[in-house]
Amino acid sequence: MRLFTYERAKTPAEAARAVAGQPGAKFLAGGTNLIDLMKLEIETPTHLVDVQDLKLDRIEQTGEGGLKIGALVSNTALASDARVRRDYGVLARAIVAGASGQLRNKATTAGNLLQRTRCPYFYDTNMPCNKRKPGSGCAAIAGYSRQLAVIGASDQCIATHPGDMAVALRVLDATVETVNAAGEPRAIPIADFHRLPGATPHIDTNLAPGELITAVTLPRPLGGRHVYEKVRDRASYAFALVSVAAVIQWDGTGRVAFGGVAHKPWRIEAAEAAMPQGAAAVTTSLFADAKPTHDNAFKVPLATRTLAAVIAEGNAA
Ligand SMILES: Cc1cc2nc3c(=O)[nH]c(=O)nc-3n(C[C@H](O)[C@H](O)[C@H](O)COP(=O)(O)OP(=O)(O)OC[C@H]3O[C@@H](n4cnc5c(N)ncnc54)[C@H](O)[C@@H]3O)c2cc1C
Ligand code: SF4
């Protein structure tokens, strides 16, 4: 058994100070990912700072006409909020495509963004994994890689970001609001929040040590038709092989981001100019630099076909 200490912070700055000031400390939100990883000794924090008393569980209108989602808003509360369902349907749909009802009741907005990869070798402590143990190697590259990345990977790691919510937030151009140990706020565009693996695959995001997420802000509603399509091995309770979040306007223009294909939600704004020409035109430029493995080459045509279905669904709506 690994010993760890536990405290409940009272303010965001206090929580950030507590984690920044103690190497090995971590925030604890709903615990649906972190506690699982602790049981398997993949994450071994020495101190947990529980953030559930921080009063970050509200969804508020912003002065700019958007929404500010507290870091502790549960996935269930967010997906069922009337404003989210009406104005940000892609987000509500992405959330309910993930996990299960029970998990979504506990899972928080911040915790969802920071969930770790589902690469099978990350979970197997007998195997080398640069993300779990930097410098140990990557068992997936010569191993079984069906679920893993086709683009943006490195020779150190080919894992994907497994979540659904972040893909919708990427298409909506959300902003992640944080506070550091000195109490200073920071706003990180979602495009810059998750990292590609490069030579440091153990670092998933651009958060500084001890930096606490306080909220996620959505800009004004985009209008248009919102679609989230997730292709997976089972109809529920499974992570995406490929997912597509899209907002399609009445003239055929739109925005699109893919999940299940890279270490971060995959969106290249320039590729969206081809939306009116159809799915193949968009994915040809989005996946021009793809380097799939023998096991996951199917993901590239699957991405094209899934986007084609999404465009058809958007046009039919
Ligand atoms: C069986 C199963 C199936 C699942 N299926 C899906 C799926 O299909 N799609 C999907 O998207 N997700 C899925 N999930 C993942 C689930 O969505 C996440 O476990 C959940 O969103 C994590 O939120 P949490 O609040 O429980 O985070 P926690 O487990 O509490 O924390 C996760 C990480 O976030 C950090 N953290 C938490 N709050 C903050 C904060 N405010 N600031 C900074 N750091 C913070 C923690 O330190 C930790 O590192 C599944 C999970 C399980 C167990
Ligand atoms: S792909 Fe990444 S997470 Fe998977 S074994 Fe390799 S280094 Fe680890």
Side-chain angles (χ1 to χ4, degrees):
M1 178 160 19
R2 298 220 182 223
L3 294 179
F4 61 89
T5 47
Y6 171 91
E7 70 173 285
R8 287 170 85 121
K10 293 283 174 288
T11 67
E14 184 186 310
R17 261 196 314 276
V19 170
Q22 188 164 335
K26 289 207 77 131
F27 300 113
L28 174 68
T32 62
N33 192 218
L34 181 56
I35 300 292
D36 277 1
L37 293 170
M38 288 172 67
K39 288 180 193 161
L40 296 165
E41 299 197 350
I42 294 163
E43 298 255 22
T44 52
T46 53
H47 184 62
L48 289 184
V49 178
D50 195 328
V51 296
Q52 63 181 303
D53 294 340
L54 299 186
K55 302 184 180 65
L56 299 173
D57 56 356
R58 297 186 48 197
I59 305 174
E60 295 164 306
Q61 205 77 40
T62 67
E64 294 74 39
L67 285 182
K68 182 174 176 178
I69 303 157
L72 288 165
V73 171
S74 75
N75 288 179
T76 298
L78 183 56
S80 59
D81 184 275
R83 294 161 294 184
V84 173
R85 286 163 60 93
R86 184 190 63 215
D87 295 330
Y88 304 96
V90 66
L91 178 59
R93 291 183 182 120
I95 292 170
V96 297
S100 65
Q102 276 176 319
L103 282 161
R104 294 193 298 267
N105 289 344
K106 283 299 288 178
T108 63
T109 302
N112 192 314
L113 278 177
L114 292 171
Q115 63 180 287
R116 310 280 334 256
T117 187
R118 294 281 161 169
C119 170
Y121 302 102
F122 178 73
Y123 276 78
D124 184 346
T125 52
N126 295 311
M127 300 299 282
C129 170
N130 288 323
K131 187 179 280 297
R132 178 171 26 78
K133 190 171 174 204
S136 63
C138 172
I141 287 173
Y144 181 65
S145 52
R146 182 169 182 273
Q147 282 280 354
L148 303 181
V150 294
I151 195 159
S154 72
D155 60 1
Q156 303 276 308
C157 179
I158 58 169
T160 55
H161 170 78
D164 295 290
M165 189 187 81
V167 187
L169 292 178
R170 180 70 181 90
V171 107
L172 292 169
D173 275 338
T175 302
V176 181
E177 315 278 346
T178 70
V179 67
N180 68 11
E184 295 157 345
R186 182 160 81 116
I188 309 171
I190 189 79
D192 302 330
F193 184 76
H194 293 102
R195 292 160 57 102
L196 293 178
T200 52
H202 58 293
I203 306 173
D204 290 339
T205 70
N206 284 316
L207 285 178
E211 192 169 3
L212 175 86
I213 299 178
T214 52
V216 171
T217 304
L218 302 178
R220 299 169 63 84
L222 291 169
R225 291 147 293 164
H226 290 218
V227 185
Y228 188 77
E229 191 69 45
K230 178 175 178 179
V231 184
R232 47 191 155 172
D233 284 327
R234 287 191 304 264
S236 72
Y237 213 43
F239 290 90
L241 289 167
V242 165
S243 69
V244 175
V247 175
I248 302 169
Q249 302 297 340
W250 301 106
D251 60 3
T253 59
R255 297 181 180 187
V256 63
F258 286 85
V261 296
H263 202 254
K264 58 191 286 186
W266 197 249
R267 177 178 175 208
I268 299 174
E269 279 81 343
E272 292 164 0
M275 284 286 277
Q277 280 93 64
V282 178
T283 53
T284 297
S285 80
L286 256 176
F287 291 97
D289 295 328
K291 290 192 181 67
T293 67
H294 171 72
D295 290 333
N296 67 17
F298 72 93
K299 284 193 179 190
V300 177
L302 181 62
T304 307
R305 288 202 288 269
T306 309
L307 180 59
V310 162
I311 291 172
E313 189 180 334
N315 288 337

Short mmCIF file of all heavy atoms in Angstrom, two decimals, residues 100-156:
data_model
loop_
_atom_site.label_atom_id
_atom_site.label_comp_id
_atom_site.label_asym_id
_atom_site.label_seq_id
_atom_site.Cartn_x
_atom_site.Cartn_y
_atom_site.Cartn_z
N SER A 100 -20.44 6.69 -18.57
CA SER A 100 -21.78 6.19 -18.23
C SER A 100 -22.46 7.25 -17.37
O SER A 100 -21.80 8.18 -16.89
CB SER A 100 -21.66 4.91 -17.41
OG SER A 100 -21.04 5.21 -16.16
N GLY A 101 -23.76 7.11 -17.15
CA GLY A 101 -24.49 8.07 -16.33
C GLY A 101 -23.86 8.25 -14.96
O GLY A 101 -23.66 9.37 -14.49
N GLN A 102 -23.52 7.15 -14.32
CA GLN A 102 -22.94 7.23 -12.97
C GLN A 102 -21.62 7.98 -12.98
O GLN A 102 -21.36 8.82 -12.13
CB GLN A 102 -22.67 5.83 -12.43
CG GLN A 102 -23.90 5.19 -11.79
CD GLN A 102 -23.59 3.76 -11.38
OE1 GLN A 102 -22.92 3.04 -12.13
NE2 GLN A 102 -24.06 3.36 -10.22
N LEU A 103 -20.78 7.66 -13.97
CA LEU A 103 -19.48 8.35 -14.06
C LEU A 103 -19.67 9.83 -14.34
O LEU A 103 -19.01 10.68 -13.75
CB LEU A 103 -18.62 7.72 -15.15
CG LEU A 103 -17.95 6.40 -14.79
CD1 LEU A 103 -17.52 5.65 -16.05
CD2 LEU A 103 -16.74 6.64 -13.89
N ARG A 104 -20.61 10.15 -15.23
CA ARG A 104 -20.82 11.56 -15.58
C ARG A 104 -21.35 12.36 -14.39
O ARG A 104 -21.15 13.56 -14.30
CB ARG A 104 -21.76 11.68 -16.79
CG ARG A 104 -21.16 11.12 -18.08
CD ARG A 104 -21.95 11.54 -19.32
NE ARG A 104 -23.30 11.06 -19.32
CZ ARG A 104 -23.72 9.92 -19.87
NH1 ARG A 104 -22.84 9.12 -20.47
NH2 ARG A 104 -24.99 9.57 -19.84
N ASN A 105 -22.05 11.69 -13.47
CA ASN A 105 -22.52 12.38 -12.26
C ASN A 105 -21.35 12.83 -11.39
O ASN A 105 -21.44 13.83 -10.68
CB ASN A 105 -23.41 11.46 -11.42
CG ASN A 105 -24.76 11.22 -12.07
OD1 ASN A 105 -25.16 11.95 -12.98
ND2 ASN A 105 -25.46 10.18 -11.63
N LYS A 106 -20.27 12.09 -11.39
CA LYS A 106 -19.11 12.41 -10.56
C LYS A 106 -18.05 13.22 -11.30
O LYS A 106 -17.36 14.06 -10.72
CB LYS A 106 -18.43 11.11 -10.08
CG LYS A 106 -19.12 10.40 -8.96
CD LYS A 106 -19.23 11.20 -7.69
CE LYS A 106 -17.91 11.36 -6.96
NZ LYS A 106 -18.08 12.20 -5.74
N ALA A 107 -17.89 12.93 -12.61
CA ALA A 107 -16.81 13.54 -13.39
C ALA A 107 -17.02 15.05 -13.51
O ALA A 107 -18.14 15.51 -13.73
CB ALA A 107 -16.77 12.91 -14.78
N THR A 108 -15.94 15.81 -13.39
CA THR A 108 -16.03 17.27 -13.45
C THR A 108 -15.47 17.80 -14.78
O THR A 108 -14.75 17.10 -15.50
CB THR A 108 -15.22 17.89 -12.30
OG1 THR A 108 -13.84 17.55 -12.49
CG2 THR A 108 -15.71 17.39 -10.94
N THR A 109 -15.78 19.05 -15.04
CA THR A 109 -15.30 19.69 -16.29
C THR A 109 -13.77 19.69 -16.35
O THR A 109 -13.18 19.29 -17.36
CB THR A 109 -15.85 21.13 -16.35
OG1 THR A 109 -17.28 21.06 -16.29
CG2 THR A 109 -15.43 21.84 -17.61
N ALA A 110 -13.13 20.09 -15.24
CA ALA A 110 -11.65 20.13 -15.25
C ALA A 110 -11.07 18.73 -15.32
O ALA A 110 -10.14 18.47 -16.10
CB ALA A 110 -11.14 20.85 -14.00
N GLY A 111 -11.63 17.82 -14.51
CA GLY A 111 -11.10 16.44 -14.49
C GLY A 111 -11.22 15.78 -15.85
O GLY A 111 -10.33 15.04 -16.28
N ASN A 112 -12.31 16.06 -16.55
CA ASN A 112 -12.51 15.46 -17.87
C ASN A 112 -11.41 15.92 -18.84
O ASN A 112 -10.85 15.12 -19.59
CB ASN A 112 -13.90 15.84 -18.39
CG ASN A 112 -14.28 15.03 -19.62
OD1 ASN A 112 -13.48 14.89 -20.53
ND2 ASN A 112 -15.49 14.51 -19.66
N LEU A 113 -11.09 17.22 -18.80
CA LEU A 113 -10.04 17.74 -19.69
C LEU A 113 -8.69 17.10 -19.41
O LEU A 113 -7.85 16.99 -20.29
CB LEU A 113 -9.89 19.25 -19.49
CG LEU A 113 -10.86 20.16 -20.20
CD1 LEU A 113 -10.57 21.61 -19.80
CD2 LEU A 113 -10.73 20.01 -21.70
N LEU A 114 -8.50 16.69 -18.14
CA LEU A 114 -7.17 16.21 -17.71
C LEU A 114 -7.12 14.70 -17.58
O LEU A 114 -6.15 14.16 -17.05
CB LEU A 114 -6.80 16.87 -16.39
CG LEU A 114 -6.54 18.37 -16.53
CD1 LEU A 114 -6.40 19.02 -15.17
CD2 LEU A 114 -5.29 18.62 -17.35
N GLN A 115 -8.13 13.98 -18.07
CA GLN A 115 -8.07 12.52 -18.01
C GLN A 115 -6.87 12.04 -18.81
O GLN A 115 -6.51 12.63 -19.83
CB GLN A 115 -9.36 11.91 -18.54
CG GLN A 115 -9.65 12.22 -19.98
CD GLN A 115 -10.96 11.56 -20.44
OE1 GLN A 115 -11.02 10.36 -20.62
NE2 GLN A 115 -11.99 12.38 -20.62
N ARG A 116 -6.25 10.95 -18.34
CA ARG A 116 -5.04 10.44 -18.98
C ARG A 116 -5.41 9.50 -20.13
O ARG A 116 -6.55 9.03 -20.24
CB ARG A 116 -4.16 9.70 -17.96
CG ARG A 116 -3.88 10.45 -16.68
CD ARG A 116 -2.81 11.51 -16.67
NE ARG A 116 -1.71 11.54 -17.55
CZ ARG A 116 -0.46 11.21 -17.23
NH1 ARG A 116 -0.17 10.76 -16.02
NH2 ARG A 116 0.52 11.35 -18.11
N THR A 117 -4.41 9.19 -20.94
CA THR A 117 -4.65 8.36 -22.12
C THR A 117 -5.16 6.96 -21.75
O THR A 117 -4.95 6.49 -20.62
CB THR A 117 -3.35 8.20 -22.95
OG1 THR A 117 -3.66 7.53 -24.15
CG2 THR A 117 -2.28 7.41 -22.20
N ARG A 118 -5.76 6.28 -22.70
CA ARG A 118 -6.20 4.89 -22.50
C ARG A 118 -5.30 3.92 -23.26
O ARG A 118 -5.70 2.78 -23.51
CB ARG A 118 -7.65 4.75 -22.93
CG ARG A 118 -8.60 5.54 -22.05
CD ARG A 118 -8.89 4.84 -20.75
NE ARG A 118 -9.43 5.77 -19.74
CZ ARG A 118 -9.95 5.39 -18.60
NH1 ARG A 118 -10.01 4.11 -18.29
NH2 ARG A 118 -10.39 6.29 -17.73
N CYS A 119 -4.10 4.34 -23.66
CA CYS A 119 -3.14 3.41 -24.28
C CYS A 119 -2.99 2.18 -23.37
O CYS A 119 -2.71 2.33 -22.17
CB CYS A 119 -1.80 4.11 -24.46
SG CYS A 119 -0.50 2.95 -24.96
N PRO A 120 -3.16 0.97 -23.90
CA PRO A 120 -3.12 -0.21 -23.01
C PRO A 120 -1.78 -0.39 -22.30
O PRO A 120 -1.74 -0.93 -21.20
CB PRO A 120 -3.40 -1.38 -23.97
CG PRO A 120 -3.18 -0.86 -25.35
CD PRO A 120 -3.44 0.62 -25.30
N TYR A 121 -0.69 0.09 -22.91
CA TYR A 121 0.63 -0.09 -22.29
C TYR A 121 0.85 0.93 -21.16
O TYR A 121 1.67 0.70 -20.28
CB TYR A 121 1.73 0.00 -23.35
CG TYR A 121 1.54 -1.01 -24.44
CD1 TYR A 121 1.02 -0.65 -25.68
CD2 TYR A 121 1.85 -2.35 -24.23
CE1 TYR A 121 0.83 -1.59 -26.68
CE2 TYR A 121 1.66 -3.30 -25.23
CZ TYR A 121 1.14 -2.91 -26.44
OH TYR A 121 0.95 -3.84 -27.43
N PHE A 122 0.14 2.04 -21.22
CA PHE A 122 0.19 3.00 -20.11
C PHE A 122 -0.38 2.34 -18.85
O PHE A 122 0.07 2.61 -17.73
CB PHE A 122 -0.61 4.24 -20.51
CG PHE A 122 -0.71 5.31 -19.45
CD1 PHE A 122 0.38 6.10 -19.13
CD2 PHE A 122 -1.91 5.55 -18.79
CE1 PHE A 122 0.28 7.10 -18.17
CE2 PHE A 122 -2.02 6.55 -17.83
CZ PHE A 122 -0.92 7.32 -17.52
N TYR A 123 -1.35 1.46 -19.06
CA TYR A 123 -2.02 0.79 -17.93
C TYR A 123 -1.29 -0.45 -17.45
O TYR A 123 -1.66 -1.01 -16.42
CB TYR A 123 -3.46 0.43 -18.34
CG TYR A 123 -4.40 1.60 -18.14
CD1 TYR A 123 -4.44 2.63 -19.06
CD2 TYR A 123 -5.20 1.67 -17.00
CE1 TYR A 123 -5.26 3.72 -18.86
CE2 TYR A 123 -6.02 2.77 -16.80
CZ TYR A 123 -6.04 3.78 -17.72
OH TYR A 123 -6.85 4.87 -17.50
N ASP A 124 -0.30 -0.92 -18.22
CA ASP A 124 0.38 -2.16 -17.87
C ASP A 124 1.76 -1.82 -17.31
O ASP A 124 2.70 -1.54 -18.06
CB ASP A 124 0.50 -3.04 -19.13
CG ASP A 124 1.11 -4.40 -18.82
OD1 ASP A 124 1.68 -4.55 -17.72
OD2 ASP A 124 1.02 -5.29 -19.68
N THR A 125 1.88 -1.87 -16.00
CA THR A 125 3.13 -1.40 -15.37
C THR A 125 4.31 -2.36 -15.62
O THR A 125 5.43 -2.06 -15.23
CB THR A 125 2.94 -1.19 -13.85
OG1 THR A 125 2.37 -2.37 -13.29
CG2 THR A 125 2.05 0.00 -13.57
N ASN A 126 4.05 -3.49 -16.27
CA ASN A 126 5.17 -4.37 -16.64
C ASN A 126 5.81 -3.97 -17.97
O ASN A 126 6.83 -4.54 -18.37
CB ASN A 126 4.67 -5.82 -16.80
CG ASN A 126 4.20 -6.37 -15.48
OD1 ASN A 126 4.90 -6.26 -14.49
ND2 ASN A 126 3.00 -6.93 -15.45
N MET A 127 5.18 -3.02 -18.68
CA MET A 127 5.65 -2.67 -20.02
C MET A 127 6.30 -1.29 -20.01
O MET A 127 5.93 -0.42 -19.21
CB MET A 127 4.46 -2.64 -21.00
CG MET A 127 3.73 -3.97 -21.11
SD MET A 127 4.78 -5.31 -21.70
CE MET A 127 4.82 -4.96 -23.45
N PRO A 128 7.28 -1.06 -20.93
CA PRO A 128 7.85 0.29 -21.02
C PRO A 128 6.83 1.29 -21.53
O PRO A 128 6.02 0.97 -22.40
CB PRO A 128 9.00 0.12 -22.02
CG PRO A 128 8.79 -1.17 -22.71
CD PRO A 128 7.87 -2.01 -21.88
N CYS A 129 6.86 2.48 -20.98
CA CYS A 129 5.94 3.54 -21.40
C CYS A 129 6.54 4.88 -21.01
O CYS A 129 6.68 5.18 -19.82
CB CYS A 129 4.57 3.34 -20.74
SG CYS A 129 3.47 4.74 -20.98
N ASN A 130 6.89 5.68 -22.03
CA ASN A 130 7.50 6.99 -21.75
C ASN A 130 6.55 7.95 -21.05
O ASN A 130 6.99 8.89 -20.39
CB ASN A 130 7.96 7.63 -23.07
CG ASN A 130 9.18 6.94 -23.65
OD1 ASN A 130 10.06 6.52 -22.91
ND2 ASN A 130 9.22 6.82 -24.98
N LYS A 131 5.27 7.75 -21.24
CA LYS A 131 4.31 8.65 -20.58
C LYS A 131 4.22 8.33 -19.09
O LYS A 131 4.17 9.22 -18.25
CB LYS A 131 2.92 8.51 -21.26
CG LYS A 131 1.91 9.54 -20.75
CD LYS A 131 0.57 9.41 -21.43
CE LYS A 131 0.50 10.04 -22.79
NZ LYS A 131 0.72 11.52 -22.76
N ARG A 132 4.23 7.05 -18.76
CA ARG A 132 4.17 6.64 -17.34
C ARG A 132 5.53 6.80 -16.67
O ARG A 132 5.62 7.26 -15.54
CB ARG A 132 3.65 5.20 -17.25
CG ARG A 132 3.58 4.63 -15.88
CD ARG A 132 2.87 3.29 -15.77
NE ARG A 132 2.85 2.47 -16.94
CZ ARG A 132 3.88 1.72 -17.38
NH1 ARG A 132 5.01 1.67 -16.70
NH2 ARG A 132 3.77 0.99 -18.48
N LYS A 133 6.58 6.39 -17.39
CA LYS A 133 7.94 6.42 -16.81
C LYS A 133 8.88 6.99 -17.87
O LYS A 133 9.34 6.26 -18.76
CB LYS A 133 8.35 5.00 -16.42
CG LYS A 133 9.60 4.95 -15.60
CD LYS A 133 9.83 3.54 -15.07
CE LYS A 133 11.17 3.47 -14.37
NZ LYS A 133 11.72 2.13 -14.31
N PRO A 134 9.16 8.31 -17.83
CA PRO A 134 9.97 8.94 -18.88
C PRO A 134 11.28 8.21 -19.10
O PRO A 134 11.96 7.82 -18.16
CB PRO A 134 10.20 10.35 -18.33
CG PRO A 134 9.04 10.60 -17.42
CD PRO A 134 8.68 9.27 -16.82
N GLY A 135 11.60 8.00 -20.40
CA GLY A 135 12.87 7.36 -20.76
C GLY A 135 12.81 5.84 -20.81
O GLY A 135 13.80 5.20 -21.17
N SER A 136 11.66 5.25 -20.47
CA SER A 136 11.61 3.78 -20.40
C SER A 136 11.33 3.16 -21.77
O SER A 136 11.50 1.95 -21.96
CB SER A 136 10.56 3.32 -19.39
OG SER A 136 9.26 3.76 -19.78
N GLY A 137 10.88 3.95 -22.74
CA GLY A 137 10.55 3.42 -24.06
C GLY A 137 9.04 3.43 -24.30
O GLY A 137 8.27 3.84 -23.43
N CYS A 138 8.67 3.02 -25.50
CA CYS A 138 7.25 2.99 -25.86
C CYS A 138 6.90 1.61 -26.41
O CYS A 138 7.31 1.26 -27.51
CB CYS A 138 6.95 4.07 -26.90
SG CYS A 138 5.27 3.94 -27.56
N ALA A 139 6.16 0.86 -25.62
CA ALA A 139 5.79 -0.50 -26.05
C ALA A 139 4.78 -0.48 -27.19
O ALA A 139 4.67 -1.46 -27.95
CB ALA A 139 5.20 -1.26 -24.86
N ALA A 140 4.07 0.61 -27.36
CA ALA A 140 2.99 0.64 -28.35
C ALA A 140 3.51 0.72 -29.78
O ALA A 140 2.88 0.22 -30.70
CB ALA A 140 2.07 1.82 -28.07
N ILE A 141 4.66 1.37 -29.97
CA ILE A 141 5.12 1.62 -31.34
C ILE A 141 5.34 0.32 -32.11
O ILE A 141 4.93 0.19 -33.26
CB ILE A 141 6.37 2.54 -31.33
CG1 ILE A 141 5.91 3.96 -30.96
CG2 ILE A 141 7.07 2.55 -32.68
CD1 ILE A 141 7.01 4.96 -30.74
N ALA A 142 5.94 -0.68 -31.46
CA ALA A 142 6.10 -1.98 -32.13
C ALA A 142 5.04 -2.96 -31.66
O ALA A 142 5.09 -4.15 -31.98
CB ALA A 142 7.48 -2.54 -31.84
N GLY A 143 4.08 -2.47 -30.89
CA GLY A 143 3.08 -3.35 -30.30
C GLY A 143 1.72 -3.21 -30.94
O GLY A 143 1.61 -2.97 -32.15
N TYR A 144 0.69 -3.32 -30.13
CA TYR A 144 -0.68 -3.28 -30.60
C TYR A 144 -1.16 -1.82 -30.54
O TYR A 144 -1.22 -1.23 -29.47
CB TYR A 144 -1.54 -4.18 -29.71
CG TYR A 144 -2.98 -4.25 -30.12
CD1 TYR A 144 -3.36 -4.81 -31.34
CD2 TYR A 144 -3.99 -3.77 -29.27
CE1 TYR A 144 -4.68 -4.88 -31.71
CE2 TYR A 144 -5.32 -3.84 -29.64
CZ TYR A 144 -5.65 -4.40 -30.86
OH TYR A 144 -6.97 -4.47 -31.23
N SER A 145 -1.51 -1.25 -31.69
CA SER A 145 -1.74 0.20 -31.72
C SER A 145 -3.08 0.57 -32.36
O SER A 145 -3.26 1.69 -32.82
CB SER A 145 -0.59 0.88 -32.48
OG SER A 145 -0.40 0.24 -33.74
N ARG A 146 -4.02 -0.35 -32.36
CA ARG A 146 -5.29 -0.11 -33.04
C ARG A 146 -5.97 1.17 -32.57
O ARG A 146 -6.53 1.94 -33.35
CB ARG A 146 -6.21 -1.32 -32.81
CG ARG A 146 -7.55 -1.23 -33.50
CD ARG A 146 -8.29 -2.56 -33.45
NE ARG A 146 -9.53 -2.47 -34.16
CZ ARG A 146 -10.66 -2.06 -33.61
NH1 ARG A 146 -10.69 -1.73 -32.33
NH2 ARG A 146 -11.74 -1.96 -34.33
N GLN A 147 -5.94 1.42 -31.24
CA GLN A 147 -6.65 2.58 -30.68
C GLN A 147 -5.86 3.88 -30.83
O GLN A 147 -6.39 4.93 -30.55
CB GLN A 147 -6.85 2.35 -29.16
CG GLN A 147 -7.97 1.41 -28.77
CD GLN A 147 -9.33 2.08 -28.81
OE1 GLN A 147 -9.44 3.28 -29.02
NE2 GLN A 147 -10.38 1.30 -28.63
N LEU A 148 -4.60 3.80 -31.25
CA LEU A 148 -3.69 4.93 -30.98
C LEU A 148 -3.64 5.93 -32.12
O LEU A 148 -4.38 5.84 -33.10
CB LEU A 148 -2.33 4.36 -30.57
CG LEU A 148 -2.43 3.42 -29.35
CD1 LEU A 148 -1.06 2.89 -28.94
CD2 LEU A 148 -3.12 4.07 -28.16
N ALA A 149 -2.72 6.90 -32.00
CA ALA A 149 -2.75 8.09 -32.85
C ALA A 149 -2.31 7.80 -34.28
O ALA A 149 -1.43 6.98 -34.53
CB ALA A 149 -1.85 9.17 -32.25
N VAL A 150 -2.89 8.53 -35.22
CA VAL A 150 -2.47 8.45 -36.62
C VAL A 150 -1.76 9.73 -37.06
O VAL A 150 -1.18 9.78 -38.14
CB VAL A 150 -3.66 8.17 -37.58
CG1 VAL A 150 -4.23 6.79 -37.32
CG2 VAL A 150 -4.75 9.24 -37.47
N ILE A 151 -1.83 10.76 -36.22
CA ILE A 151 -1.21 12.04 -36.62
C ILE A 151 -0.72 12.78 -35.37
O ILE A 151 -1.29 12.60 -34.28
CB ILE A 151 -2.20 12.89 -37.45
CG1 ILE A 151 -1.46 14.01 -38.17
CG2 ILE A 151 -3.38 13.41 -36.61
CD1 ILE A 151 -2.19 14.57 -39.37
N GLY A 152 0.35 13.57 -35.56
CA GLY A 152 0.85 14.39 -34.44
C GLY A 152 1.63 13.59 -33.41
O GLY A 152 1.98 14.12 -32.37
N ALA A 153 1.91 12.31 -33.70
CA ALA A 153 2.62 11.48 -32.71
C ALA A 153 4.13 11.71 -32.84
O ALA A 153 4.58 12.47 -33.71
CB ALA A 153 2.28 10.02 -32.94
N SER A 154 4.90 11.06 -31.99
CA SER A 154 6.36 11.19 -32.06
C SER A 154 6.99 9.81 -31.91
O SER A 154 6.28 8.83 -31.68
CB SER A 154 6.88 12.10 -30.94
OG SER A 154 6.78 11.45 -29.69
N ASP A 155 8.32 9.74 -32.01
CA ASP A 155 8.96 8.43 -31.81
C ASP A 155 9.06 8.07 -30.33
O ASP A 155 9.61 7.05 -29.97
CB ASP A 155 10.33 8.37 -32.50
CG ASP A 155 11.28 9.42 -31.95
OD1 ASP A 155 10.90 10.17 -31.02
OD2 ASP A 155 12.43 9.50 -32.43
N GLN A 156 8.48 8.93 -29.49
CA GLN A 156 8.44 8.66 -28.04
C GLN A 156 7.07 8.17 -27.58
O GLN A 156 6.95 7.51 -26.56
CB GLN A 156 8.76 9.94 -27.26
CG GLN A 156 10.08 10.58 -27.61
CD GLN A 156 11.21 9.95 -26.85
OE1 GLN A 156 11.16 9.84 -25.64
NE2 GLN A 156 12.22 9.50 -27.57
#
